[in-house]
Amino acid sequence: MDTSFILRHATIFRNAIEQIDKALFFSPCMKNFPRGCCGDTSLLLGEFLLEHGVDNLRYALGRCDNQSHAWLERSGEIIDITGDQFTDGQRVFVGKPNAFYSRFELDFQRNYTHFYDDSSPNNYNLLHDYKLIVMKCK
């Protein structure tokens, strides 16, 4: 899977989120997209990429001072569609770590699995939101 394929699909997913009336989202954090929802958005994007054949994804969470940020990684590349919640982050980023990502100390990382495999109450909200987003991706 090449970088341009992942970038194209990440952009499609980001555009779809922006087209949805925020009042329709069940997950409280998605109502403020992209602010404060990088973790949930990374989970949703991971599912979308898996469904489109992108494998070997990792979920990463980094911290810098009193801020945290989550993104996906694959083969040493970062996949992020919420970096623009920070003044120096990009709207959609797929590529090798740059100065923006280097400032975050990696706090947590794991292999990405389907977000809905966990039965937490928030996953019901995320599954609803994921279906809304995917409908806009078509």
Side-chain angles (χ1 to χ4, degrees), residues 114-121 123-124:
H114 301 284
F115 70 86
Y116 51 81
D117 285 347
D118 173 349
S119 62
S120 74
N123 286 345
Y124 170 79

Side-chain angles (χ1 to χ4, degrees), residues 99-136:
F100 173 75
Y101 295 97
S102 296
R103 77 178 193 212
F104 291 95
E105 181 179 337
L106 200 57
D107 191 38
F108 176 81
Q109 191 175 42
R110 67 169 169 82
N111 289 332
Y112 178 85
T113 56
H114 301 284
F115 70 86
Y116 51 81
D117 285 347
D118 173 349
S119 62
S120 74
N122 189 48
N123 286 345
Y124 170 79
N125 293 340
L126 289 178
L127 187 56
H128 170 272
D129 294 352
Y130 181 72
K131 290 176 182 178
L132 280 177
I133 297 164
V134 169
M135 286 181 6
K136 287 287 185 183

Side-chain angles (χ1 to χ4, degrees), residues 28-90:
C29 77
M30 292 300 292
K31 295 178 184 293
N32 297 314
F33 182 86
R35 292 209 167 280
C37 64
C38 51
D40 285 353
T41 301
S42 294
L43 294 175
L44 299 175
L45 176 61
E47 190 63 32
F48 185 71
L49 293 174
L50 279 178
E51 288 182 3
H52 286 86
V54 179
D55 57 3
N56 299 316
L57 293 169
R58 294 185 59 75
Y59 175 92
L61 175 67
R63 297 194 183 280
C64 176
D65 299 325
N66 63 346
Q67 297 179 315
S68 65
H69 188 49
W71 59 84
L72 297 172
E73 293 185 359
R74 182 178 188 271
S75 302
E77 289 192 327
I78 290 174
I79 306 165
D80 184 9
I81 61 171
T82 61
D84 59 334
Q85 67 182 299
F86 301 94
T87 56
D88 55 342
Q90 291 180 261

